[in-house]
Amino acid sequence: MITIDHVSKTYASKQGEHHALKDISLTIESGDIFGILGSSGAGKSTLVRCINLLERPSSGRILIDGNDITNYRGAQLKELRQSIGMIFQNFSLFQQRTVLENITFPLELTGCPKAKRETRAKELLDVVGLADLSARYPAQLSGGQQQRVAIARALANRAKIMLCDEATSALDTKTTVAILDLLKTINREFGVTQVLITHALTVAESACNKIAVIDDGRIVEQGATHSVFAHPQSNALHELIENSRSVISAQGVSIVEQGA
């Protein structure tokens, strides 16, 4: 379980303070695929980066399975990050490493023997459907294949939590559907809790069992995905729906076309 307890994040600049997150509280249950939905600049990426302490909250707490991790540093922080995989929009693969070597990289950092880390990487290549591409380099792969490598790398240390920051926004519709299906399979078969940051309603509708809508650094509504979409309360969600009326979801019919 991930508990975000009254978290705020403020940045100082020459123009003054910028309040990126404002007193956010959320509970993400173990096994959830939880969507954080919002427009550009709403604060969703800052929020997800606070979960693995790539950003430290200015106030409030982050708890994982009841343990307050907010002030973890050094060895504690390193161990924590081994249990939290992260996937980025731009894949963030090492261009000079093969597919296999990209996946083994997190295991190298832990001192895992070469034979064991290569065995683990090959297992994960089977999971993500790239068993025959282990010797290729990222430049030789499609965007969807690169994201599959990034997913495998995120799982290398048997992560319990996976953070996905706009993981499908650089992909076409068909590839997005395939990647979301893969994430759902990983959630179901390995019990990996997932937090999906997205601005796309169709991504949240297809993959997430729960969502929270963030606007100007605040959570403006949250709940079961179907319920929130069926009865939108906030101006932020109404605007996202309006902007997504022509978007087809992974099931072939968008929520907005259904009249949500």
Side-chain angles (χ1 to χ4, degrees), residues 34-105:
F34 196 104
I36 307 292
L37 187 65
S39 60
S40 178
K44 52 190 187 297
S45 291
T46 301
L47 178 58
V48 79
R49 289 168 65 88
C50 283
I51 294 175
N52 63 358
L53 301 181
L54 288 177
E55 298 281 359
R56 290 189 178 271
S58 302
S59 61
R61 301 185 303 160
I62 304 289
L63 296 91
I64 295 181
D65 294 334
N67 298 310
D68 186 350
I69 67 163
T70 315
N71 295 312
Y72 276 17
R73 299 182 186 278
Q76 272 189 319
L77 181 58
K78 181 179 179 181
E79 184 177 355
L80 169 72
R81 288 181 176 161
Q82 289 172 10
S83 68
I84 302 177
M86 193 157 186
I87 306 168
F88 301 91
Q89 175 181 349
N90 62 356
F91 320 130
S92 297
L93 300 178
F94 297 108
Q95 297 301 310
Q96 303 306 315
R97 283 176 167 255
T98 65
V99 165
L100 187 74
E101 290 167 344
N102 266 279
I103 299 170
T104 60
F105 179 71

Side-chain angles (χ1 to χ4, degrees), residues 18-34:
H18 170 60
H19 302 283
L21 301 176
K22 304 170 184 176
D23 194 29
I24 286 181
S25 292
L26 283 176
T27 298
I28 300 168
E29 303 284 349
S30 296
D32 276 347
I33 303 182
F34 196 104

Side-chain angles (χ1 to χ4, degrees), residues 178-254:
I179 292 297
L180 293 178
D181 284 344
L182 175 59
L183 291 175
K184 288 185 283 187
T185 297
I186 289 168
N187 170 261
R188 182 176 62 251
E189 296 187 1
F190 300 102
V192 177
T193 302
Q194 297 174 16
V195 182
L196 270 60
I197 299 300
T198 184
H199 65 276
L201 273 68
T202 50
V203 168
E205 180 196 28
S206 175
C208 303
N209 64 311
K210 299 174 188 173
I211 62 168
V213 181
I214 187 171
D215 181 44
D216 192 28
R218 298 185 187 276
I219 299 298
V220 293
E221 54 187 306
Q222 60 179 294
T225 302
H226 176 76
S227 177
V228 172
F229 283 157
H231 307 286
Q233 302 296 312
S234 65
N235 289 335
L237 184 52
H238 278 290
E239 289 175 6
L240 286 168
I241 290 173
E242 183 64 28
N243 292 337
S244 302
R245 286 193 179 278
S246 63
V247 177
I248 302 301
S249 75
Q251 285 81 26
V253 181
S254 73

